[in-house]
Amino acid sequence: MTNTVGQLINGEMMIDGSRSQDVYNPSTGAATKQVDLACAGTVEQAIAAAEAAFPTWRNTPPARRAAVMFRFKQLLEDNADKICEMIGEEHGKIAHDAMGELQRGIENVEYACGAPELLKGEHSRNVGPGIDSWSEFQPLGVVAGITPFNFPAMVPLWMYPMAIVCGNTFVLKPSERDPSSTLYIAQLLQEAGLPNGVINVVNGDKEAVDVLLTDERVKAVSFVGSTPIAEYIYSTANANGKRCQALGGAKNHAIVMPDADMDNAVNQLLGAAFGSSGERCMALSVAVAVGDEAADTLVAKLQEAMGPLKVGEFSNRDNDFGPVITRAHQQKVNGYIDSAEADGCKIVVDGRNPQVEGYEEGFFVGATLIDNVTTQMKSYQEEIFGPVLQVVRANSMEEAMQMINDHEYGNGTCIFTRDGEAARYFSDNIQVGMVGINVPLPVPVSYHSFGGWKRSLFGDLHAYGPDAVRFYTKRKTITQRWPSSGVREGVSFAFPS
Amino acid sequence: MTNTVGQLINGEMMIDGSRSQDVYNPSTGAATKQVDLACAGTVEQAIAAAEAAFPTWRNTPPARRAAVMFRFKQLLEDNADKICEMIGEEHGKIAHDAMGELQRGIENVEYACGAPELLKGEHSRNVGPGIDSWSEFQPLGVVAGITPFNFPAMVPLWMYPMAIVCGNTFVLKPSERDPSSTLYIAQLLQEAGLPNGVINVVNGDKEAVDVLLTDERVKAVSFVGSTPIAEYIYSTANANGKRCQALGGAKNHAIVMPDADMDNAVNQLLGAAFGSSGERCMALSVAVAVGDEAADTLVAKLQEAMGPLKVGEFSNRDNDFGPVITRAHQQKVNGYIDSAEADGCKIVVDGRNPQVEGYEEGFFVGATLIDNVTTQMKSYQEEIFGPVLQVVRANSMEEAMQMINDHEYGNGTCIFTRDGEAARYFSDNIQVGMVGINVPLPVPVSYHSFGGWKRSLFGDLHAYGPDAVRFYTKRKTITQRWPSSGVREGVSFAFPS
Amino acid sequence: MTNTVGQLINGEMMIDGSRSQDVYNPSTGAATKQVDLACAGTVEQAIAAAEAAFPTWRNTPPARRAAVMFRFKQLLEDNADKICEMIGEEHGKIAHDAMGELQRGIENVEYACGAPELLKGEHSRNVGPGIDSWSEFQPLGVVAGITPFNFPAMVPLWMYPMAIVCGNTFVLKPSERDPSSTLYIAQLLQEAGLPNGVINVVNGDKEAVDVLLTDERVKAVSFVGSTPIAEYIYSTANANGKRCQALGGAKNHAIVMPDADMDNAVNQLLGAAFGSSGERCMALSVAVAVGDEAADTLVAKLQEAMGPLKVGEFSNRDNDFGPVITRAHQQKVNGYIDSAEADGCKIVVDGRNPQVEGYEEGFFVGATLIDNVTTQMKSYQEEIFGPVLQVVRANSMEEAMQMINDHEYGNGTCIFTRDGEAARYFSDNIQVGMVGINVPLPVPVSYHSFGGWKRSLFGDLHAYGPDAVRFYTKRKTITQRWPSSGVREGVSFAFPS
Amino acid sequence: MTNTVGQLINGEMMIDGSRSQDVYNPSTGAATKQVDLACAGTVEQAIAAAEAAFPTWRNTPPARRAAVMFRFKQLLEDNADKICEMIGEEHGKIAHDAMGELQRGIENVEYACGAPELLKGEHSRNVGPGIDSWSEFQPLGVVAGITPFNFPAMVPLWMYPMAIVCGNTFVLKPSERDPSSTLYIAQLLQEAGLPNGVINVVNGDKEAVDVLLTDERVKAVSFVGSTPIAEYIYSTANANGKRCQALGGAKNHAIVMPDADMDNAVNQLLGAAFGSSGERCMALSVAVAVGDEAADTLVAKLQEAMGPLKVGEFSNRDNDFGPVITRAHQQKVNGYIDSAEADGCKIVVDGRNPQVEGYEEGFFVGATLIDNVTTQMKSYQEEIFGPVLQVVRANSMEEAMQMINDHEYGNGTCIFTRDGEAARYFSDNIQVGMVGINVPLPVPVSYHSFGGWKRSLFGDLHAYGPDAVRFYTKRKTITQRWPSSGVREGVSFAFPS
């Protein structure tokens, strides 16, 4: 346990040394290394480095900034296996799942490669006689990102490639649970030719976060995590004069209509509910079956399909999914299953305390299916963030939609149907930011933007994609007139019209 | 004084009756009518009306919503003289100036007529094999606007035409100083065919504002006013889960370069500094002359040009500008001139206590020119909001730009020069949101967006123009796949890539 | 018959006087007025007027050009009844149908009101260090339009509002069959405040057309008509150095799937096939039923629904549709029915020689339904342009789509189904420019663009909507650097990179 | 001379064998290899391969098509030196110049990497009640490119990366003068993972070109070359139902204003006039000096600066530029100098018959400066395409601009000045498609588009950049309604409004 994950500041690795914390391998339950926790001074040093790097980086043409992203993409692809190994070891997700995560992250880097196009402003000749006006999108300065454990590669890549290619400099505070892949990826960006100080990574906890939220040199904060923390981040950053977007929790429902292709729906639900142990903000955790016939069929087919599912250690590619992140989280997930059971639900498939041979201390929860859930139950109202799929029964599509609209969260949702009218009505009226039609994990591609509604996102603009350009820049509008050398104009006291 | 300005709720005029306040004619100093002050219950009634009107209005095709705006524009033009008279009587601005304000407001209505184009979403065929994705911009629900006294027609028209044409319903809380034109304009919108409840106007004070900031049915707030209030509005609205943009104060500088066309610059500065008595957030209140020669020439020419300027009552079109809004504000402006004098400035032209025959009780301040101002002075650091132009002397363009960048506010600014390089360097590097090149009041046209930087605007998105579309809508991204009826797909536990 | 429809040149009405031609009332079959036919010299005069008006109009700010369109819209609405009467008298279409046409035309004027937004160019700061670049869309100069008889109000309004608001000046050569409404509408535009010479209307025939196609002062030509003429216009205009878009004929198919809501499909088909006597390039003239069961049901329901349909004179609003445009065309349409009959089709409903009491000399053809049509028949391969609906039977959706893809024309098409997969597959793969899903006349709204594929359109860009901005402007790209006064740069012989 | 450059068809290299032609090294004047000339049948084979590859490639998601471009960029960078050597050997340009060309070409590949963003269509919810509409940009099918000798790497890269990434398949007919680098680059694209048949290269002459212009399977043609050929290509392609853009010749003027930074202007002009021996369609071949004082200074400084310029063989990096392409072209360029001399011009620096030791048979022309040129001279009116800079004297900026506007060509132009007003007036009013302000070679960056005006370009849309997306796709507009299962709608015979 001599290995300590440190800080990347101004292009150099360093160890703060004041405090540190264990990093676990959730498959074995053993602490395998330490993560250095940055004190306030270290975070301020990172901010200072970012601020010093800003003027030159801001003046670097967007096409040259994009050139770094092209190289970064290459390095990410060249080192993909190593990154996935790092993710698996600290997060527990199976290699094919880590690769999916990384690929999604790389797609954000690819989008950032288009910066010269994305940063185009709007130009108007002759807004008045001989007067031109145009709007530009200029960078903000130093921007911070605070990211969760569940996507250590992808979520940071939602943020800093776009922030940086827009001309900002960046300080990233990743999750202290699984810091290695995140740090390594930032080092690859450095290696891709980024000037020192443009990207900085500080590992740490609330002490580090609070510096980022209050230091006036930080102009904007992007956050992904749970809703209570998101709300704190958002209000604190705003109160400190910063732009902020804070993404929180979710409870994603799929409506299964009687006309749905049921086998397809079942296949889709398995991956969406249990992939990555359900530790995804887009995980599908509730299936709302319309009509008892559909519900009975769905539950029966799910139960059957869940039979062969294997939970286990990350390094075995035959496993379908891995452990949850910590022992405490394992117990919390089990607690939700207990609670549902106590509320009278039927535990159709019970994943509590699975046997994983050779990994008895791992933080495993098996795939769990719960039927007859109702909207008053705690296990329905809260985000479980584990491999637990709940089935709710509704009498009509309207009733099913009302459940979704009444829920606190509005991140993702999906409908399974063959009917064009049902799909259109659902997508138009559902109060959720990301909607799937027969697509259970409707994560927008990198050239659209990611964002939930209601208490799943605080802020005006969504993450990555076109919205990221707007979030990481501010509009400047210039109005220009070149007075004719020979002409004098009369004075006007009226407001220009 | 039997005339009382009331409330427009759900398409009907009403009087709350609990509290009221005097409305003055600033040219005479006399209270001429009363404005009814809405109590909390009345504001809630307005919100309820807006909420009830939302579902139908949201489903009305954008082109039909725009049709109301086409008619509204026509009604505004048909009733322009009446509106300008109302503005003059309560605000004090001269008719040609009121007409300029109104015209700018109408241009925002014209922009709103383009809603079908502006609301287009982004569509991607084949984000994956057989999978399509598109993003839509859906309305928020009930939106509130809180507006200042200085542009009773224009600033509300920055907000609700765009909010409404995007499918939202609206509650407006205008200034209680000059409520009549604002209310009348809203009635014209109603007359243009808007369904009841889509636009509501509540006159009131902090009691009304606080309902708008805390009622959970209100989804967004737009505000224009002073910086301390803007900051309060922004943080309160955010803490209550609302989207908010809050525009605050300004201190707009013009740099006058030695190569500037000096006569042109003087002519432009007169209107920009004294028009509407300087009660504009885009008023040019500081001229920074580069080099003493330029400064001496500028001051001499300004002094000469200011000779014929006439301050007086709103109804006389020969006057160049009218009174300030209240007796208290008149005294505050005079106090800033006193303070500059005490700080050692030269009061080149002194507008304190001007004689306006027949209007001895009016709230007049004459055009004032102050030389040798420095950046430490209170009169430099704060917004005066009166017909006072201060001259600061700088040794270089860099020094002049540093002053601007160091100031708390960053609303508008301008440079007078003939030199392309100077113009480009200035517009690129100045930390101000709206920049003029030989344009002293660089208010963006309605198809660009209005917004300052630093403490002149709280929020991510600017007012009116393209940014208003984004502010008044939320993104929804739909991903759609139609499973082939004959095909079954394998289960995937990996994150989709 | 003293009434002669003349020419609008440089803001004034004039009569050429060299040649003229009868204008008929197709409901009575009587010639009711004359149309003056412009000789070459008169057309050159119109071009000269347009060329003279160009420099000033080009320099008029887009917002002021748009202001004319706002007034034009108002005048069109104020005079709608008069315009519809003019259309009915010369074209024969019933008032409600003329109003639909006019409304669609007005929507193009509304779109043109958004010119300031639509004409925005693209601005890039720092394409290289200290180098900026932007693209503008500048007007072409004099533009011509040549339009058909079937939409005398709408099709010209597809063209000149956008052309003019983009800064061009215009010469319109409308159909000589029904010239009055077209001319009157242009006069309204003049009345709306357009400077003289910006819009000019020349009535005429091939002599006039050929001047427009060869005069080098004309920079672009828009055409709508039949395919052989479109091809001639396109190649001649191109050979004479002009930009051209030429829209031709159509044969629009609807696929009726077995799962379609059959009553809805029948209702939709009736209007789409027989409205305006089928004289629309978007008329639905072929229904392809998939499966004999669907075909039999469809034919039976159509036959029943066609019973009450009334063909008759334009002024009686109880009539469903009116006469065709000329006696010759009436005979041509009848000839196609004869030909189908001779080819062995079943004439389910026969509209040849209908009795219209009191209008025995009118050019009427009644609603006709033909079953068992096959793709080898002349009546299938050619455009009939009359109130004739043909039913083709197919065994599968693929077979039905192949028919459409094999046809010479590719203007519009439609599918009736409830199935999302069918709709998606159809819209993706069908080789047609305008596609309806349960929408039988998928004419794009004014803020999208109109255009067919294959031999239905010659040119790169579609009509009206966003494409019209590109068609009526040319891109200019400016790259700007302001050399620093103190710096000298080295010589570079390499291509800039 | 055993080396023969062949054909790339359907992923495989082949030799047609019917005819071939010498390829020269212009630095030595020796034929060094042969190029195989494709007969009609071989071109048809290439078209067939492209057509066969289209359906699958069209259905490949844009992001996966872009993935090939990412790899292609990498391969181009990895093999840059080899490519530049190939270019130098056959074209004669010096390595640093070839690298500049290649870099510009790579930038077009980078732009193509942004395809998923660039191909987004426009989506409108509720164009009518319950009706949605969207526009997509679908590929055309088989597209052809015909490219000139002067940029064997760059100009093909203007075309096929964008054509291919938009979903088309491609047949390229490059110049037979210097075919090796072009072919090698296409092989790299193949190596990057492009499916067979998507890119095909046919070397050949008019026989090959005419197949591409007439074969109905080819849907569009992009061409760059001289104006007479461009005109032939354009009219022939159009007459054969193809979309076409054809870029022709140029005569690019720089206006040198009296206030210009003269040393900077001279430095810029040297590279722009003589780089690549002036064989660029953006070469600056005419300097218009405003005022005799500016002219005299300019000529004197140019003469002095041209002293050290070295023309010579491509492989010596100390040379400033290399030979022209052929012996015939060398003689043609000399002929223009003779003609100017005969017309009474002053040959200030004479580059005819330069001595290049060891390369006596090379096709060299030295840098040439000609003063006192007037607009009637043949050497002014025609494109020289050699290292010849002509100076014309004008009395005013207006006179200088008139010369440019009167010239047949309108490709590029530039003004040297410090004055903002002059720059704005020039860029607004000059009748040229690509305008430089103190930028002598205003080639738009890859994210803007390249195109001249007047007889420098035939077609509506410019090359590469955003216009390329429009050129290589066709718009399809879909209008969709899902009828409510329970509702029946009335028949409407009116045009939908």
Side-chain angles (χ1 to χ4, degrees), chain C residues 20 62 73 80 91 110 133 154 176 186 210 212 231 235 238 486:
Chain C
S20 70
K73 169 188 151 75
H91 174 280
E110 291 170 358
S133 192
M154 182 182 75
E176 65 274 30
D210 283 344
L212 295 175
E231 195 164 24
S235 62
N238 275 162

Side-chain angles (χ1 to χ4, degrees), chain B residues 70 73-74 110-111 113 116-118 120 125-126 130 132 420-421 424 427-428 447-448 466 482-485, chain C residues 70 73-74 110-111 113 116-118 120 125-126 130 132 420-421 424 427-428 447-448 466 482-485:
Chain B
F70 275 101
K73 168 188 151 75
Q74 191 62 46
E110 292 170 0
Y111 190 72
C113 291
E117 176 72 19
L118 300 171
K120 279 180 181 170
R125 173 79 77 179
N126 276 337
D132 304 329
E421 186 191 7
R424 200 270 181 192
S427 72
D428 188 23
Y447 42 103
H448 285 259
W482 294 104
S484 170
S485 9
Chain C
F70 275 102
K73 169 188 151 75
Q74 192 62 47
E110 291 170 358
Y111 190 71
C113 291
E117 176 71 19
L118 300 172
K120 280 180 180 170
R125 174 78 78 179
N126 276 336
D132 303 329
E421 185 191 8
R424 200 270 180 192
S427 72
D428 188 22
Y447 42 105
H448 286 260
W482 293 104
S484 170
S485 9

Side-chain angles (χ1 to χ4, degrees), chain B residues 222-282:
Chain B
S222 293
F223 172 84
V224 174
S226 69
T227 286
I229 309 294
E231 197 164 22
Y232 166 76
I233 297 278
Y234 189 69
S235 62
T236 310
N238 275 162
N240 283 278
K242 299 179 198 333
R243 185 174 289 210
C244 184
Q245 59 181 183
L247 284 66
K251 191 82 176 185
N252 305 310
H253 298 59
I255 297 182
V256 181
M257 294 293 285
D259 76 336
D261 176 335
M262 204 58 79
D263 289 337
N264 175 56
V266 166
N267 280 345
Q268 298 288 337
L269 284 173
L270 289 190
F274 306 125
S276 202
S277 308
E279 291 175 324
R280 296 169 176 163
C281 65
M282 287 295 276

